[in-house]
Amino acid sequence: MSAEAARRWQRRADVLWHESLGGVVLLPPEATDPFAVSAPAALLWEALAAPRDVDELAAAMSEPLGVPAAEVAEALPALLDELAGLGALREDP
Amino acid sequence: MSHPALLRAVAAHGLAASTLGLPDGPLDDDAWADLLRGVRSQRLAGLLAEAVASGALEVTDSQLAEVIELHRAAIGSVLLLERQLQHSSAALDAAGIAHRAVKGAAFAHLDYPNPSWRHYGDVDVLLPTAELDRAVEVLLDAGHERRNPPLRPGFEARFAKSVELRVGANGAEVDLHRLLVPEPLGWWIVEGDLFADPATFTLAGQAVPAPSRSVRFLHACYHAALGFRPTRLVPLRDLVEAAGDPAFDWREAVTLAERWRGAPIVAHAVRTAMEAFALEPASGLWWWARGHRSDEPATRILEHYLHGTRRQTERSLDALRALPRWRDRAAYLSALLRPDRAYLEYRGVSAGDWWRQGARSLERRLRR
């Protein structure tokens, strides 16, 4: 397993968020404005309630998305980086 | 009830006791535009989104895109308010000031199946009268600003319903209430009841205190009965949600309402909700409300609200009559007649204009 794949992520407990039609709207502590994520990313947000690595997240999202876990796993690092960059995630040590 | 049936059906979506139905198939463009106007003005985006998500209301692709956009925008506004509520509540906690989040945030998190169904436009915090002035100072130190100066120094903590503050880059409104409703009805509410048996909800891990279920229900009733005309649909939905909780004890709530001399207000609000949402009587509460008749003072005050005659002069006269001590009446009247210079400057009127406006208003009142 690569170092990237071994990283474990979890959503930050201090992010304000609500479900919305077709996704989730988030307001991390340092963000000035809320931002919306659409349905696939909302599934990721749900899966990030507990610390998980990319493979575990892909396995959790594969069935609801109807996409093989390997394909989901390929797309995940970019999405995780984006959410982490917005201050919505923390990396679990 | 003058709201269109379709708008009421959206506001009633998910209520098992409602006989209102949503149309089969998507609405045409005109009906859709009408519905969206109503949804925006009544802050019903959350219930519309839920009606669409559940499949109860069929929409076209373009209508779906509009609902998604509308719901996201409403949720975004609510999140910014929740952040301000977190900050205000934390500052009050740090100062050791007991407080309760009321109205929108409390209803959304404690009474609705999902907080995303209930949107609101400001932050409302209830405080004990004895703590109001200190709470204002604490929040001013924490970066809040007053919306307007007090009528007279000391007037708010003695007579007023609330103090309005602004905070943050977006100017979010934070209302500090010492009364749930305007005087004199607010004076008749027993303050200790408002702070008994608190509930709690969490915002991103931070616990925020709120009033008990019975108090939230009664607050929704007062808000529905005494607020905007025609009665807004969201406070009606709030009271139905609060009453729908299996743990809700309607007899306890009615006992409180009677102690607060507000039973006519509560009965009226419940009857209005039943009519607005076409509710089948589902509990003893509905039957109590149907049968309630009273000639209490609250009934006369309610009539003023319902017929649009509850203007400032009417309110002030009711308040004067309700004040038990001559000393209080004199202080109240003195503040109304001689507001502070800063208050007059904020209102953009001279002391002379203030007197003339008051005299005209009183004259109209006496002619009726």
Side-chain angles (χ1 to χ4, degrees):
Chain A
M1 181 187 280
S2 70
E4 180 62 36
R7 296 168 77 185
R8 296 176 70 78
W9 297 95
Q10 184 176 16
R11 62 191 189 208
R12 282 176 56 168
D14 53 2
V15 174
L16 289 162
W17 63 278
H18 284 301
E19 294 168 13
S20 71
L21 183 59
V24 172
V25 185
L26 310 171
L27 182 62
E30 291 83 20
T32 309
D33 296 309
F35 62 92
V37 297
S38 55
L43 272 178
L44 173 61
W45 185 252
E46 191 182 322
L48 285 163
R52 283 176 164 163
D53 64 25
V54 166
D55 286 342
E56 290 167 335
L57 290 167
M61 296 170 65
S62 167
E63 191 181 323
L65 286 175
V67 176
E71 285 182 35
V72 179
E74 259 181 53
L76 276 179
L79 204 49
L80 288 166
D81 280 345
E82 194 179 340
L83 283 173
L86 291 163
L89 301 186
R90 70 181 178 86
E91 197 171 346
D92 203 52
Chain B
M1 180 53 57
S2 58
H3 297 298
L6 180 56
L7 191 63
R8 288 187 286 120
V10 168
H13 171 68
L15 296 176
S18 173
T19 57
L20 293 174
L22 291 162
D24 294 328
L27 298 169
D28 64 35
D29 289 349
D30 288 345
W32 178 251
D34 278 348
L35 178 63
L36 280 194
R37 262 194 299 278
V39 162
R40 284 194 182 96
S41 76
Q42 295 278 325
R43 291 205 177 108
L44 290 170
L47 287 162
L48 176 64
E50 178 55 26
V52 170
S54 68
L57 181 64
E58 289 182 50
V59 290
T60 65
D61 287 349
S62 65
Q63 290 170 350
L64 176 63
E66 283 185 273
V67 183
I68 288 173
E69 194 55 40
L70 186 65
H71 196 214
R72 282 180 177 171
I75 296 274
S77 300
V78 163
L79 290 175
L80 290 168
L81 291 170
E82 287 187 349
R83 172 184 280 175
Q84 297 307 340
L85 175 57
Q86 279 186 310
H87 291 171
S88 303
S89 182
L92 294 169
D93 272 339
I97 297 176
H99 61 282
R100 303 283 183 263
V102 292
K103 292 174 74 175
F107 291 133
H109 284 271
L110 292 167
D111 297 306
Y112 280 73
N114 186 320
S116 71
W117 293 17
R118 171 65 160 90
H119 305 149
Y120 46 95
D122 60 7
V123 171
D124 294 282
V125 177
L126 180 71
L127 293 151
T129 291
E131 296 282 30
L132 181 68
D133 286 342
R134 196 161 73 90
V136 171
E137 279 177 31
V138 164
L139 293 182
L140 292 180
D141 285 347
H144 296 55
E145 293 175 358
R146 289 186 73 106
R147 185 181 174 197
N148 54 271
L151 190 68
R152 285 271 286 272
F155 181 86
E156 289 157 336
R158 194 169 177 188
F159 300 114
K161 174 178 174 280
S162 54
V163 177
E164 293 174 16
L165 305 179
R166 293 270 187 273
V167 66
N170 57 343
E173 186 175 318
V174 178
D175 292 342
L176 302 183
H177 302 272
R178 70 173 197 96
L179 303 178
L180 282 192
V181 289
E183 68 281 8
L185 293 166
W187 294 341
W188 298 339
I189 293 175
V190 179
E191 186 174 278
D193 293 340
L194 301 177
F195 291 85
D197 304 321
T200 302
F201 62 92
T202 59
L203 293 177
Q206 182 183 327
V208 179
S212 68
R213 186 177 289 104
S214 290
V215 170
R216 295 198 305 277
F217 165 77
L218 294 175
H219 193 185
C221 291
Y222 275 80
H223 189 210
L226 308 177
F228 292 99
R229 300 264 84 78
T231 306
R232 293 181 76 90
L233 294 166
V234 166
L236 294 174
R237 178 71 187 233
D238 291 341
L239 80 86
V240 175
E241 288 291 349
D245 190 308
F248 175 69
D249 181 345
W250 71 268
R251 289 181 184 82
E252 176 188 288
V254 167
T255 301
L256 275 183
E258 286 168 348
R259 182 152 73 217
W260 298 354
R261 300 161 67 184
I265 311 284
V266 174
H268 172 80
V270 171
R271 289 194 300 265
T272 307
M274 292 178 72
E275 183 192 344
F277 300 145
L279 296 174
E280 299 283 1
S283 82
L285 174 68
W286 310 126
W287 295 111
W288 168 82
R290 275 189 174 177
H292 183 82
R293 297 286 178 273
S294 167
D295 58 357
E296 293 173 55
T299 305
R300 182 179 57 78
I301 294 169
L302 177 63
E303 289 298 316
H304 288 313
Y305 275 99
L306 299 182
H307 299 116
T309 53
R310 180 85 179 146
R311 297 197 172 87
Q312 184 58 45
T313 311
E314 201 70 54
R315 227 173 98 176
S316 303
L317 290 173
D318 280 335
L320 266 179
R321 277 191 287 263
L323 283 169
R325 297 186 304 180
W326 280 104
R327 197 172 49 185
D328 291 332
R329 290 185 195 181
Y332 184 81
L333 197 57
S334 168
L336 291 183
L337 295 176
R338 292 195 309 112
D340 213 41
R341 183 190 299 272
Y343 181 81
L344 289 173
E345 283 173 5
Y346 164 76
R347 295 289 299 265
V349 293
S350 66
D353 287 341
W354 179 262
W355 267 90
R356 277 187 284 279
Q357 286 173 12
R360 275 199 297 272
S361 180
L362 186 61
E363 190 185 348
R364 278 197 299 272
R365 164 70 183 82
L366 295 175
R367 274 194 199 139
R368 282 205 300 271

mmCIF file of all heavy atoms in Angstrom, chain B residues 239-277:
data_model
loop_
_atom_site.group_PDB
_atom_site.id
_atom_site.type_symbol
_atom_site.label_atom_id
_atom_site.label_comp_id
_atom_site.label_asym_id
_atom_site.label_seq_id
_atom_site.Cartn_x
_atom_site.Cartn_y
_atom_site.Cartn_z
ATOM 1 N N LEU B 239 -45.117 24.796 15.648
ATOM 2 C CA LEU B 239 -45.932 24.342 16.790
ATOM 3 C C LEU B 239 -46.435 22.917 16.565
ATOM 4 O O LEU B 239 -46.537 22.132 17.513
ATOM 5 C CB LEU B 239 -47.068 25.332 17.084
ATOM 6 C CG LEU B 239 -48.356 25.331 16.265
ATOM 7 C CD1 LEU B 239 -49.369 24.359 16.791
ATOM 8 C CD2 LEU B 239 -48.954 26.739 16.292
ATOM 9 N N VAL B 240 -46.710 22.580 15.306
ATOM 10 C CA VAL B 240 -47.150 21.201 15.023
ATOM 11 C C VAL B 240 -45.995 20.227 15.255
ATOM 12 O O VAL B 240 -46.184 19.145 15.813
ATOM 13 C CB VAL B 240 -47.694 21.084 13.579
ATOM 14 C CG1 VAL B 240 -48.039 19.646 13.253
ATOM 15 C CG2 VAL B 240 -48.918 21.972 13.402
ATOM 16 N N GLU B 241 -44.781 20.623 14.849
ATOM 17 C CA GLU B 241 -43.619 19.749 15.072
ATOM 18 C C GLU B 241 -43.377 19.548 16.570
ATOM 19 O O GLU B 241 -43.132 18.434 17.028
ATOM 20 C CB GLU B 241 -42.355 20.340 14.421
ATOM 21 C CG GLU B 241 -42.345 20.269 12.909
ATOM 22 C CD GLU B 241 -42.205 18.853 12.363
ATOM 23 O OE1 GLU B 241 -41.910 17.921 13.132
ATOM 24 O OE2 GLU B 241 -42.427 18.677 11.152
ATOM 25 N N ALA B 242 -43.432 20.649 17.332
ATOM 26 C CA ALA B 242 -43.178 20.537 18.775
ATOM 27 C C ALA B 242 -44.249 19.674 19.437
ATOM 28 O O ALA B 242 -43.957 18.847 20.309
ATOM 29 C CB ALA B 242 -43.130 21.922 19.421
ATOM 30 N N ALA B 243 -45.502 19.849 19.001
ATOM 31 C CA ALA B 243 -46.600 19.077 19.604
ATOM 32 C C ALA B 243 -46.589 17.627 19.144
ATOM 33 O O ALA B 243 -47.186 16.769 19.795
ATOM 34 C CB ALA B 243 -47.943 19.721 19.250
ATOM 35 N N GLY B 244 -45.930 17.356 18.023
ATOM 36 C CA GLY B 244 -45.945 16.004 17.462
ATOM 37 C C GLY B 244 -44.963 15.061 18.119
ATOM 38 O O GLY B 244 -45.012 13.841 17.887
ATOM 39 N N ASP B 245 -44.065 15.597 18.929
ATOM 40 C CA ASP B 245 -43.090 14.737 19.605
ATOM 41 C C ASP B 245 -43.825 13.836 20.594
ATOM 42 O O ASP B 245 -44.626 14.327 21.390
ATOM 43 C CB ASP B 245 -42.075 15.614 20.340
ATOM 44 C CG ASP B 245 -40.909 14.803 20.860
ATOM 45 O OD1 ASP B 245 -41.154 13.784 21.544
ATOM 46 O OD2 ASP B 245 -39.761 15.170 20.589
ATOM 47 N N PRO B 246 -43.564 12.513 20.569
ATOM 48 C CA PRO B 246 -44.259 11.616 21.495
ATOM 49 C C PRO B 246 -44.061 12.000 22.967
ATOM 50 O O PRO B 246 -44.913 11.695 23.806
ATOM 51 C CB PRO B 246 -43.628 10.248 21.219
ATOM 52 C CG PRO B 246 -43.017 10.360 19.867
ATOM 53 C CD PRO B 246 -42.656 11.790 19.664
ATOM 54 N N ALA B 247 -42.956 12.682 23.274
ATOM 55 C CA ALA B 247 -42.702 13.069 24.665
ATOM 56 C C ALA B 247 -43.417 14.366 25.046
ATOM 57 O O ALA B 247 -43.351 14.792 26.201
ATOM 58 C CB ALA B 247 -41.195 13.240 24.888
ATOM 59 N N PHE B 248 -44.104 14.992 24.097
ATOM 60 C CA PHE B 248 -44.784 16.265 24.385
ATOM 61 C C PHE B 248 -46.003 16.018 25.265
ATOM 62 O O PHE B 248 -46.848 15.173 24.953
ATOM 63 C CB PHE B 248 -45.207 16.934 23.077
ATOM 64 C CG PHE B 248 -46.008 18.190 23.260
ATOM 65 C CD1 PHE B 248 -45.417 19.339 23.779
ATOM 66 C CD2 PHE B 248 -47.354 18.242 22.910
ATOM 67 C CE1 PHE B 248 -46.149 20.502 23.950
ATOM 68 C CE2 PHE B 248 -48.091 19.403 23.067
ATOM 69 C CZ PHE B 248 -47.483 20.534 23.588
ATOM 70 N N ASP B 249 -46.109 16.771 26.355
ATOM 71 C CA ASP B 249 -47.232 16.642 27.274
ATOM 72 C C ASP B 249 -48.100 17.894 27.111
ATOM 73 O O ASP B 249 -47.784 18.954 27.656
ATOM 74 C CB ASP B 249 -46.688 16.525 28.713
ATOM 75 C CG ASP B 249 -47.802 16.357 29.746
ATOM 76 O OD1 ASP B 249 -48.985 16.620 29.412
ATOM 77 O OD2 ASP B 249 -47.491 15.985 30.887
ATOM 78 N N TRP B 250 -49.196 17.759 26.353
ATOM 79 C CA TRP B 250 -49.977 18.962 26.039
ATOM 80 C C TRP B 250 -50.658 19.543 27.280
ATOM 81 O O TRP B 250 -50.840 20.756 27.362
ATOM 82 C CB TRP B 250 -50.990 18.678 24.920
ATOM 83 C CG TRP B 250 -52.150 17.805 25.279
ATOM 84 C CD1 TRP B 250 -52.224 16.454 25.151
ATOM 85 C CD2 TRP B 250 -53.403 18.231 25.818
ATOM 86 N NE1 TRP B 250 -53.432 16.001 25.576
ATOM 87 C CE2 TRP B 250 -54.187 17.070 25.985
ATOM 88 C CE3 TRP B 250 -53.941 19.459 26.167
ATOM 89 C CZ2 TRP B 250 -55.482 17.117 26.502
ATOM 90 C CZ3 TRP B 250 -55.236 19.516 26.672
ATOM 91 C CH2 TRP B 250 -55.987 18.349 26.837
ATOM 92 N N ARG B 251 -50.978 18.698 28.244
ATOM 93 C CA ARG B 251 -51.614 19.227 29.457
ATOM 94 C C ARG B 251 -50.625 20.121 30.225
ATOM 95 O O ARG B 251 -51.002 21.160 30.760
ATOM 96 C CB ARG B 251 -52.099 18.081 30.347
ATOM 97 C CG ARG B 251 -53.305 17.354 29.773
ATOM 98 C CD ARG B 251 -53.780 16.243 30.679
ATOM 99 N NE ARG B 251 -54.863 15.501 30.077
ATOM 100 C CZ ARG B 251 -54.707 14.522 29.186
ATOM 101 N NH1 ARG B 251 -53.487 14.158 28.830
ATOM 102 N NH2 ARG B 251 -55.750 13.904 28.667
ATOM 103 N N GLU B 252 -49.386 19.693 30.263
ATOM 104 C CA GLU B 252 -48.360 20.509 30.921
ATOM 105 C C GLU B 252 -48.220 21.858 30.205
ATOM 106 O O GLU B 252 -48.129 22.917 30.845
ATOM 107 C CB GLU B 252 -47.014 19.766 30.898
ATOM 108 C CG GLU B 252 -45.858 20.545 31.474
ATOM 109 C CD GLU B 252 -44.529 19.827 31.243
ATOM 110 O OE1 GLU B 252 -44.279 18.800 31.884
ATOM 111 O OE2 GLU B 252 -43.755 20.303 30.396
ATOM 112 N N ALA B 253 -48.227 21.813 28.879
ATOM 113 C CA ALA B 253 -48.090 23.047 28.103
ATOM 114 C C ALA B 253 -49.286 23.973 28.341
ATOM 115 O O ALA B 253 -49.126 25.193 28.501
ATOM 116 C CB ALA B 253 -47.956 22.723 26.616
ATOM 117 N N VAL B 254 -50.493 23.403 28.389
ATOM 118 C CA VAL B 254 -51.690 24.224 28.618
ATOM 119 C C VAL B 254 -51.670 24.813 30.029
ATOM 120 O O VAL B 254 -52.059 25.973 30.240
ATOM 121 C CB VAL B 254 -52.964 23.388 28.361
ATOM 122 C CG1 VAL B 254 -54.199 24.095 28.898
ATOM 123 C CG2 VAL B 254 -53.122 23.117 26.867
ATOM 124 N N THR B 255 -51.193 24.035 30.988
ATOM 125 C CA THR B 255 -51.074 24.558 32.353
ATOM 126 C C THR B 255 -50.146 25.772 32.387
ATOM 127 O O THR B 255 -50.434 26.787 33.031
ATOM 128 C CB THR B 255 -50.547 23.456 33.304
ATOM 129 O OG1 THR B 255 -51.461 22.362 33.259
ATOM 130 C CG2 THR B 255 -50.421 23.955 34.729
ATOM 131 N N LEU B 256 -49.029 25.665 31.676
ATOM 132 C CA LEU B 256 -48.104 26.803 31.604
ATOM 133 C C LEU B 256 -48.783 28.005 30.946
ATOM 134 O O LEU B 256 -48.680 29.137 31.414
ATOM 135 C CB LEU B 256 -46.865 26.429 30.779
ATOM 136 C CG LEU B 256 -45.709 25.722 31.466
ATOM 137 C CD1 LEU B 256 -44.563 25.512 30.471
ATOM 138 C CD2 LEU B 256 -45.209 26.523 32.647
ATOM 139 N N ALA B 257 -49.493 27.731 29.839
ATOM 140 C CA ALA B 257 -50.162 28.820 29.111
ATOM 141 C C ALA B 257 -51.171 29.525 30.014
ATOM 142 O O ALA B 257 -51.304 30.762 29.986
ATOM 143 C CB ALA B 257 -50.855 28.274 27.866
ATOM 144 N N GLU B 258 -51.879 28.749 30.817
ATOM 145 C CA GLU B 258 -52.863 29.364 31.729
ATOM 146 C C GLU B 258 -52.152 30.197 32.790
ATOM 147 O O GLU B 258 -52.607 31.288 33.145
ATOM 148 C CB GLU B 258 -53.739 28.271 32.349
ATOM 149 C CG GLU B 258 -54.734 27.728 31.317
ATOM 150 C CD GLU B 258 -55.436 26.461 31.767
ATOM 151 O OE1 GLU B 258 -54.996 25.859 32.773
ATOM 152 O OE2 GLU B 258 -56.405 26.065 31.079
ATOM 153 N N ARG B 259 -51.014 29.664 33.290
ATOM 154 C CA ARG B 259 -50.264 30.436 34.291
ATOM 155 C C ARG B 259 -49.761 31.751 33.683
ATOM 156 O O ARG B 259 -49.651 32.751 34.373
ATOM 157 C CB ARG B 259 -49.090 29.598 34.804
ATOM 158 C CG ARG B 259 -48.291 30.308 35.872
ATOM 159 C CD ARG B 259 -47.617 29.358 36.821
ATOM 160 N NE ARG B 259 -46.488 28.672 36.228
ATOM 161 C CZ ARG B 259 -46.168 27.404 36.482
ATOM 162 N NH1 ARG B 259 -46.905 26.683 37.293
ATOM 163 N NH2 ARG B 259 -45.116 26.861 35.914
ATOM 164 N N TRP B 260 -49.472 31.726 32.401
ATOM 165 C CA TRP B 260 -48.963 32.940 31.734
ATOM 166 C C TRP B 260 -50.108 33.831 31.225
ATOM 167 O O TRP B 260 -49.849 34.806 30.549
ATOM 168 C CB TRP B 260 -48.089 32.560 30.538
ATOM 169 C CG TRP B 260 -46.865 31.770 30.841
ATOM 170 C CD1 TRP B 260 -46.370 31.434 32.066
ATOM 171 C CD2 TRP B 260 -45.979 31.194 29.877
ATOM 172 N NE1 TRP B 260 -45.217 30.685 31.928
ATOM 173 C CE2 TRP B 260 -44.955 30.526 30.588
ATOM 174 C CE3 TRP B 260 -45.927 31.179 28.486
ATOM 175 C CZ2 TRP B 260 -43.911 29.854 29.953
ATOM 176 C CZ3 TRP B 260 -44.893 30.519 27.838
ATOM 177 C CH2 TRP B 260 -43.892 29.857 28.576
ATOM 178 N N ARG B 261 -51.340 33.443 31.517
ATOM 179 C CA ARG B 261 -52.539 34.170 31.050
ATOM 180 C C ARG B 261 -52.572 34.245 29.523
ATOM 181 O O ARG B 261 -53.075 35.208 28.941
ATOM 182 C CB ARG B 261 -52.587 35.585 31.662
ATOM 183 C CG ARG B 261 -52.628 35.537 33.195
ATOM 184 C CD ARG B 261 -52.218 36.833 33.838
ATOM 185 N NE ARG B 261 -53.167 37.904 33.589
ATOM 186 C CZ ARG B 261 -52.984 39.156 33.992
ATOM 187 N NH1 ARG B 261 -51.883 39.476 34.673
ATOM 188 N NH2 ARG B 261 -53.868 40.076 33.725
ATOM 189 N N GLY B 262 -52.013 33.205 28.880
ATOM 190 C CA GLY B 262 -51.931 33.219 27.415
ATOM 191 C C GLY B 262 -52.705 32.107 26.744
ATOM 192 O O GLY B 262 -52.502 31.868 25.540
ATOM 193 N N ALA B 263 -53.596 31.432 27.479
ATOM 194 C CA ALA B 263 -54.322 30.302 26.878
ATOM 195 C C ALA B 263 -55.090 30.706 25.606
ATOM 196 O O ALA B 263 -55.097 29.933 24.633
ATOM 197 C CB ALA B 263 -55.268 29.678 27.914
ATOM 198 N N PRO B 264 -55.716 31.910 25.557
ATOM 199 C CA PRO B 264 -56.413 32.269 24.315
ATOM 200 C C PRO B 264 -55.468 32.364 23.115
ATOM 201 O O PRO B 264 -55.849 32.024 21.984
ATOM 202 C CB PRO B 264 -57.014 33.651 24.631
ATOM 203 C CG PRO B 264 -57.080 33.713 26.124
ATOM 204 C CD PRO B 264 -55.920 32.919 26.615
ATOM 205 N N ILE B 265 -54.247 32.807 23.365
ATOM 206 C CA ILE B 265 -53.253 32.925 22.279
ATOM 207 C C ILE B 265 -52.919 31.532 21.755
ATOM 208 O O ILE B 265 -52.870 31.285 20.547
ATOM 209 C CB ILE B 265 -51.942 33.578 22.819
ATOM 210 C CG1 ILE B 265 -52.225 34.835 23.620
ATOM 211 C CG2 ILE B 265 -50.935 33.781 21.706
ATOM 212 C CD1 ILE B 265 -52.574 36.035 22.844
ATOM 213 N N VAL B 266 -52.674 30.615 22.693
ATOM 214 C CA VAL B 266 -52.276 29.251 22.315
ATOM 215 C C VAL B 266 -53.418 28.547 21.584
ATOM 216 O O VAL B 266 -53.206 27.908 20.546
ATOM 217 C CB VAL B 266 -51.845 28.469 23.580
ATOM 218 C CG1 VAL B 266 -51.563 27.013 23.256
ATOM 219 C CG2 VAL B 266 -50.619 29.128 24.203
ATOM 220 N N ALA B 267 -54.634 28.677 22.112
ATOM 221 C CA ALA B 267 -55.778 28.022 21.459
ATOM 222 C C ALA B 267 -55.974 28.551 20.046
ATOM 223 O O ALA B 267 -56.217 27.779 19.103
ATOM 224 C CB ALA B 267 -57.051 28.249 22.291
ATOM 225 N N HIS B 268 -55.828 29.862 19.882
ATOM 226 C CA HIS B 268 -55.993 30.446 18.549
ATOM 227 C C HIS B 268 -54.930 29.910 17.591
ATOM 228 O O HIS B 268 -55.230 29.561 16.437
ATOM 229 C CB HIS B 268 -55.906 31.983 18.635
ATOM 230 C CG HIS B 268 -55.883 32.622 17.281
ATOM 231 N ND1 HIS B 268 -57.022 32.822 16.539
ATOM 232 C CD2 HIS B 268 -54.845 33.057 16.511
ATOM 233 C CE1 HIS B 268 -56.699 33.369 15.382
ATOM 234 N NE2 HIS B 268 -55.384 33.522 15.338
ATOM 235 N N ALA B 269 -53.681 29.851 18.066
ATOM 236 C CA ALA B 269 -52.595 29.381 17.195
ATOM 237 C C ALA B 269 -52.824 27.924 16.773
ATOM 238 O O ALA B 269 -52.621 27.567 15.608
ATOM 239 C CB ALA B 269 -51.251 29.526 17.915
ATOM 240 N N VAL B 270 -53.262 27.106 17.716
ATOM 241 C CA VAL B 270 -53.492 25.687 17.395
ATOM 242 C C VAL B 270 -54.627 25.561 16.375
ATOM 243 O O VAL B 270 -54.523 24.806 15.398
ATOM 244 C CB VAL B 270 -53.791 24.883 18.685
ATOM 245 C CG1 VAL B 270 -54.246 23.469 18.351
ATOM 246 C CG2 VAL B 270 -52.550 24.841 19.580
ATOM 247 N N ARG B 271 -55.695 26.324 16.586
ATOM 248 C CA ARG B 271 -56.823 26.266 15.625
ATOM 249 C C ARG B 271 -56.369 26.739 14.239
ATOM 250 O O ARG B 271 -56.754 26.162 13.215
ATOM 251 C CB ARG B 271 -57.986 27.139 16.129
ATOM 252 C CG ARG B 271 -58.718 26.569 17.332
ATOM 253 C CD ARG B 271 -60.043 27.283 17.560
ATOM 254 N NE ARG B 271 -59.901 28.707 17.797
ATOM 255 C CZ ARG B 271 -59.843 29.275 19.001
ATOM 256 N NH1 ARG B 271 -59.917 28.521 20.098
ATOM 257 N NH2 ARG B 271 -59.728 30.578 19.136
ATOM 258 N N THR B 272 -55.529 27.775 14.206
ATOM 259 C CA THR B 272 -55.042 28.289 12.920
ATOM 260 C C THR B 272 -54.188 27.247 12.203
ATOM 261 O O THR B 272 -54.286 27.065 10.983
ATOM 262 C CB THR B 272 -54.228 29.589 13.136
ATOM 263 O OG1 THR B 272 -55.023 30.502 13.882
ATOM 264 C CG2 THR B 272 -53.836 30.221 11.819
ATOM 265 N N ALA B 273 -53.353 26.533 12.970
ATOM 266 C CA ALA B 273 -52.525 25.476 12.366
ATOM 267 C C ALA B 273 -53.399 24.359 11.806
ATOM 268 O O ALA B 273 -53.147 23.841 10.716
ATOM 269 C CB ALA B 273 -51.545 24.928 13.408
ATOM 270 N N MET B 274 -54.433 24.005 12.554
ATOM 271 C CA MET B 274 -55.340 22.933 12.087
ATOM 272 C C MET B 274 -55.985 23.328 10.764
ATOM 273 O O MET B 274 -56.088 22.521 9.837
ATOM 274 C CB MET B 274 -56.428 22.670 13.133
ATOM 275 C CG MET B 274 -55.897 22.060 14.411
ATOM 276 S SD MET B 274 -57.199 21.826 15.630
ATOM 277 C CE MET B 274 -58.094 20.451 14.913
ATOM 278 N N GLU B 275 -56.381 24.613 10.681
ATOM 279 C CA GLU B 275 -57.030 25.082 9.455
ATOM 280 C C GLU B 275 -56.015 25.170 8.309
ATOM 281 O O GLU B 275 -56.274 24.716 7.195
ATOM 282 C CB GLU B 275 -57.654 26.456 9.718
ATOM 283 C CG GLU B 275 -58.416 27.002 8.525
ATOM 284 C CD GLU B 275 -58.778 28.475 8.713
ATOM 285 O OE1 GLU B 275 -58.709 28.975 9.859
ATOM 286 O OE2 GLU B 275 -59.103 29.115 7.706
ATOM 287 N N ALA B 276 -54.859 25.745 8.592
ATOM 288 C CA ALA B 276 -53.858 25.965 7.536
ATOM 289 C C ALA B 276 -53.401 24.653 6.922
ATOM 290 O O ALA B 276 -53.222 24.551 5.710
ATOM 291 C CB ALA B 276 -52.664 26.718 8.112
ATOM 292 N N PHE B 277 -53.194 23.652 7.754
ATOM 293 C CA PHE B 277 -52.642 22.385 7.263
ATOM 294 C C PHE B 277 -53.714 21.302 7.114
ATOM 295 O O PHE B 277 -53.383 20.137 6.865
ATOM 296 C CB PHE B 277 -51.538 21.883 8.214
ATOM 297 C CG PHE B 277 -50.381 22.839 8.350
ATOM 298 C CD1 PHE B 277 -49.713 22.991 9.558
ATOM 299 C CD2 PHE B 277 -49.945 23.590 7.275
ATOM 300 C CE1 PHE B 277 -48.645 23.867 9.694
ATOM 301 C CE2 PHE B 277 -48.872 24.476 7.390
ATOM 302 C CZ PHE B 277 -48.230 24.617 8.605
#
